[in-house]
Amino acid sequence: MLGPVETRSVSPVFVGRTDELHALNDALARATAGEPQALLLGGEAGVGKTRLVEEFATAACRQGAVVALGGCVEIGADGLPFAPFSTALRALRRELPRELAAAAAGQDEELARLLPELGEPATARGTRRDDEEGMARLFELTARLLERVAADRTVVVALEDLHWADASTRHLLAYLFRTLRTGRLVILATYRADDIHRRHPLRPLLAELDRLRTVRRVELGRFNRAEVGRQIAGILAREPDPTDVDDIFERSDGNAFFVEELAVAVHEGCCTGLTDSLRDLLLVRVESLPESGQRVARIVAEGGSTVEYRLLADVARLAEDDLIEALRAAVNAHILLATPGGDGYRFRHSLVREAVSDDLLPGERSRLNRRYAEALEADPTLVPADERVMRLASYWYHAHDAAKALPAVLDASVAARRRHAYSEQLRLLERAMELWDAAPEEVRARLRPAGYTEVYPPSGCDPETTPLGYLDLLAEAAVAGRLCGERERAFKITKRALRLLEDEDDPLRAAWFWVQRSRLVQARTHGGDGWAELSTAQELVRGMPPSEVHAEVLGSVASWSMMHAPGPEALSSAERAVEYAQMVGAHEIELNARITMGVLMVDAGDVEAGLAQMYEVKQRALEADSPFVLGRAYVNLPAELQAVGRSREAVALLEEGAAGTRKFGLLDSEAWVWGNLSESLHSLGRWDEAVEAAETAQRLGRDARPHTGSALSLAQVALDRGDVTEAARHLAYVRAQFAAHNPTPAQSIPLACLAIGVAAGEGRLLDVRAELARALDAGFPTGTQRYAWPLLLAAATAEADAPPLPALAQGRAAVLERISEAVRKTTTGAPIWLAHDKWVRAELHRAEGRATAHTWTEVVAAFEELENPFDLARVRHRLAEALLTAGGDEERDRATELLRLSHAVAGHLGARPLADSVTLLAQRARLALTGAPRRSAVPADPVAALGLTSRERDVLRLVAAGRTNRQIAEELFISPKTASVHVSNILGKLGVSGRGEAAAVAHRLGLFPPDVLKAPSAG
């Protein structure tokens, strides 16, 4: 290897770039203060991006930062998946071995996909064939790793040449830029601005990142004449001739790299021989090398961004002394550089490498690639282990040897899949399909599905002995396309496969492709809901013996029906999917089908059995280490608990689920969990926490559906707090999202409910009626009662609240009758639904002017058994209104108590409309909302009016006296856990968030005599 060599063509003086360097140093300072920074540095080729990064990195190191550099790698025209991140993480591991190991602890197998030094990458354990969240999980774990490493030190991760980045690298960078929120971290990425043409894959990413306020873009311009003069002076180590400066400035147009080339040419007296051709300018110094030096430069140009010395020696086939002399000449001419690790060579500037590569003859190019491939095949240790498979595939492909290229490309596609680099997997599979017919039959006959495919179930064939087929490649490519977001390409692949299957008697494989096609259709923004495709798949497997494909078809049909057409047929499909999956040992299909079955059972009214089914699946998924099923259980089980009014139980499970899904990196599932948590917290009267949960959901995952769900939660809180404008903003967002898809009833009914609420809040009753009519015309399928009841309530309340104007009176009777008809048809199989049934009927009576205190007493009694403090406060307000209408001292006292409780809840939650309504009613009735009410001759029991049981009355007395749960347990001879449950129930019924507030309500309403509160505890 070579020792130090002269590098005089690079100016030792750093010229200009004051503003750009200030921006980078400012980002470093902010990161050091704990605010992560994301920067994009753009500029044309040769303008000086690398030099600026080097200056910044040097300055950052002087300030104690750890700098990790990574560059996007080209092998011929191919990029290595995640190459810059792997290089940067490797550099971090060298600098901070213990810290990186600690940060990766527990996730070593998954992170080994990026950094093999951490251990063996995770294999099939706990994964499934189409790991939809694999990439998202890897991205989240990478973000967490960087945050942990940068928790107590400043870390700079610089990624160069983003214009060469593979799709997986681009996706990971975008994810980090969007999600990093903590840590003393700077992520800096550079790219060639002049390479980003309209169809360049980096262009959409740059547009996306421009919309993020957390990302700063720094554009590097060309030098002015004064800066060019200073650069030339640094290169020549003397003041240049002003005429030369003018000439070089004019020729280079201020491009730093061209200034270097021209300055050296002037210095060596060959400037007059230069043409205006860019390529000629770049090749001038290469052509001045001895023949051996030119030959080595051509070999390095075709080998990739960096070529290891041992590999170069094998390919060059020169005597070692001759090779070293050739390398020395190229290095001294400032064409090649030794790599930082000292084990290989690269071109000093990629522009020169591209010019040399473009100058190769076609036969010369394929011959060099063949030599690289043969050398690497003979000695795999010539390149790093994590690059070996990809590079060999690229070399053989560009050598135009189909017999060698096909298995190599398939090996590379498997490596890409294991790294969750699905875009690269798809590209490689498409290459394999391109090579398929050109490869000799004997080569194809030796290939086996077991080695290269995994998404299509064996279905009676032995993957170890059955030859690999073209349809196997199409199956892998279809799934890879869906997982990487290339759905249109995947759709075309399934279309090609189904066309080929028309001539083959293989109904199982055809059914499998129809299922894949259905998934793609459902993900598209147009073209149907996927049912036609599933129906075709179902017909293909009808009457066939049980198989994994058959079970998957039935499970997919049940899952689709659960969302679009729940009912007995959907439940039957789920039951048969479970049965078939058990027969063939398809455990994950079975567990997923059981979750679907549990949801359908709950929605059909078989609540306890359905919940028990889902609890069992959750436990089995934990024991089987099946994170995907577990993620679904954490989403669907709490959703069903919420649907039947068991919000507190749902919250406990969702909090567990938030930690579980985050642990496994299930980003979309985690987003669903946080969205569902927001809904349950809202029901429990924990609105500020509900808003935080919804906002968290919107920051997570790639799927838009949980984002729309959380937007609905935010809109509901805004409506309940009287911010109709904010609710309307969320409504517009949700409508825009659903406009691109065919919404399911679980989406369209809540959307209609929100639209009714916004229209009512803005006083647009006719629009309320129009939204209601559309919803009623569409109908409420079986299992959608959880969404139907709030909609019917919102419409009935809007009618009851409407002013008595003649224009609004017209048509009211018909509207109320349609609501009544819907109420009669909607399920009431759970206490929460029965309570809503009573509430909607009471609102209809109020709209007709015939609501009584008895009517509302039943509603209040129903809600006092539930965990919905805001709803309880609303119906208490209506009962108070009815009591005041009835008149009488006892009614006034009871109404006063109810209004005080409602007002306390409204004030605590910030529910301004309810607070205003309560205040107005109290003013009209001349009631005070503070102080003790006037006692009637026959005093009503205020504690009973709150809906508290006798045991809860005893517990509240002791809470008001300042007792702890343990003291309460001792005095009442119950366990501390039981005391805690009673306290939680009391807080929910009073609509308060803590023991102190509950005690304050008890004191303010005079619920217990002072001497009772001072009674000593037992013992």
Side-chain angles (χ1 to χ4, degrees), residues 815-957:
V815 171
L816 297 180
E817 177 53 35
R818 287 207 71 183
I819 296 174
S820 296
E821 182 183 356
V823 166
R824 289 192 292 271
K825 294 179 179 178
T826 305
T827 302
T828 58
I832 184 71
W833 304 335
L834 182 61
H836 273 81
D837 174 65
K838 295 178 182 293
W839 191 357
V840 176
R841 292 177 188 274
E843 290 291 359
L844 291 173
H845 290 170
R846 186 165 70 92
E848 295 167 346
R850 56 191 184 92
T852 65
H854 176 72
T855 303
W856 285 107
T857 297
E858 287 189 351
V859 181
V860 169
F863 275 94
E864 283 175 342
E865 299 301 318
L866 304 175
E867 302 172 338
N868 302 65
F870 179 61
D871 290 343
L872 180 58
R874 289 176 65 189
V875 297
R876 280 172 170 169
H877 164 239
R878 290 301 173 200
L879 175 56
E881 185 179 49
L883 288 168
L884 291 171
T885 301
D889 289 343
E890 183 176 338
E891 286 76 7
R892 283 180 62 83
D893 280 351
R894 190 178 175 204
T896 302
E897 294 164 4
L898 292 168
L899 289 175
R900 286 175 175 170
L901 289 170
S902 294
H903 194 265
V905 171
H908 172 70
L909 297 177
R912 184 171 51 81
L914 176 60
D916 291 347
S917 297
V918 169
T919 301
L920 181 61
L921 179 60
Q923 288 173 346
R924 286 169 47 202
R926 298 185 179 181
L927 298 176
L929 293 176
T930 58
R934 180 171 59 85
R935 298 285 174 184
S936 61
V938 183
D941 183 355
V943 179
L946 295 173
L948 301 180
T949 65
S950 59
R951 174 61 80 188
E952 288 168 348
R953 174 205 304 262
D954 295 335
V955 172
L956 177 57
R957 171 177 60 80

Side-chain angles (χ1 to χ4, degrees), residues 451-533:
Y452 301 112
T453 66
E454 67 172 14
V455 298
Y456 181 74
S459 301
C461 299
D462 184 356
E464 298 288 349
T465 59
T466 305
L468 181 74
Y470 189 76
L471 283 166
D472 292 313
L473 303 186
L474 291 173
E476 292 292 315
V479 173
R482 176 166 58 84
L483 296 181
C484 73
E486 292 284 352
R487 296 188 182 95
E488 289 305 315
R489 285 164 71 186
F491 192 83
K492 291 176 182 177
I493 290 168
T494 60
K495 186 175 181 180
R496 192 191 319 169
L498 290 168
R499 192 164 55 244
L500 291 173
L501 282 163
E502 290 174 0
D503 301 326
E504 296 193 24
D505 183 20
D506 194 346
L508 284 180
R509 191 181 290 266
W512 184 89
F513 273 107
W514 279 112
V515 170
Q516 303 311 309
R517 191 178 175 92
S518 172
R519 292 175 179 173
L520 292 165
V521 168
Q522 292 178 65
R524 295 170 87 179
T525 57
H526 60 278
D529 57 13
W531 173 248
E533 291 76 12

